[in-house]
Amino acid sequence: MRIGELSRRTGASERLLRYYEEQGLLRPARLPSGYRVYTQADADTVRRIRTLLVAGLNTATIAQVLPCVRDDGERLVPTCSDLLADLHRERDRITRAMEDLESSRAMLDTVIAAAPPRVAEGAGNVPRPLRSV
């Protein structure tokens, strides 16, 4: 199948499929004309990539993890013995990022709660973009 068909089957844009190829996540065959040719296995790979992206992994990590997972119906199953340690490290990284975001939200809540009543009452009247500091 060509890239357009793979895009339709997987829901991934053609641009995204090319990006996956640039990252070494997909390796389609090439016709003499240079056109990419994909198989059903490539469609399955795209689904695994998208699942791992949703899980919070970046493409560099996915490149390492992808050869060590298989589909088991509705979920991915690790197949390499050393993969679990890597996945635990990624989970810990995501947990730390979530804790940092919760801390930032709590700080914003503190700043918002400190607003005098007259400022809080007019907050919805004039939208102003936040500026980075």
Side-chain angles (χ1 to χ4, degrees):
M1 80 183 89
R2 296 284 232 348
I3 195 167
E5 177 64 20
L6 182 64
S7 176
R8 282 187 289 285
R9 286 188 186 191
T10 62
S13 69
E14 292 181 18
R15 181 175 171 210
L16 192 54
L17 294 171
R18 287 185 197 99
Y19 175 74
Y20 293 164
E21 184 180 353
E22 288 172 12
Q23 297 302 303
L25 303 174
L26 276 179
R27 293 178 182 85
R30 295 277 186 154
L31 295 175
S33 63
Y35 286 109
R36 295 167 176 86
V37 179
Y38 297 93
T39 65
Q40 182 56 46
D42 292 318
D44 296 339
T45 298
V46 170
R47 288 186 190 95
R48 285 192 294 277
I49 292 167
R50 293 176 64 109
T51 298
L52 293 168
L53 284 167
V54 169
L57 303 182
N58 61 44
T59 55
T61 302
I62 291 172
Q64 296 171 353
V65 169
L66 203 53
C68 290
V69 294
R70 67 174 169 79
D71 289 307
D72 185 25
E74 298 178 11
R75 61 185 176 171
L76 295 179
V77 177
T79 59
C80 301
S81 59
D82 59 341
L83 179 60
L84 284 180
D86 293 336
L87 293 177
H88 280 288
R89 277 192 294 281
E90 282 299 313
R91 186 181 188 285
D92 291 344
R93 180 192 61 78
I94 290 168
T95 298
R96 285 190 304 276
M98 290 171 61
E99 290 167 351
D100 290 345
L101 286 170
E102 287 173 355
S103 176
S104 295
R105 182 179 58 196
M107 182 58 68
L108 279 175
D109 288 344
T110 300
V111 171
I112 291 167
R118 65 178 177 75
V119 172
E121 289 171 6
N125 296 338
V126 182
R128 294 186 182 178
L130 292 176
R131 296 178 192 228
S132 299
V133 268

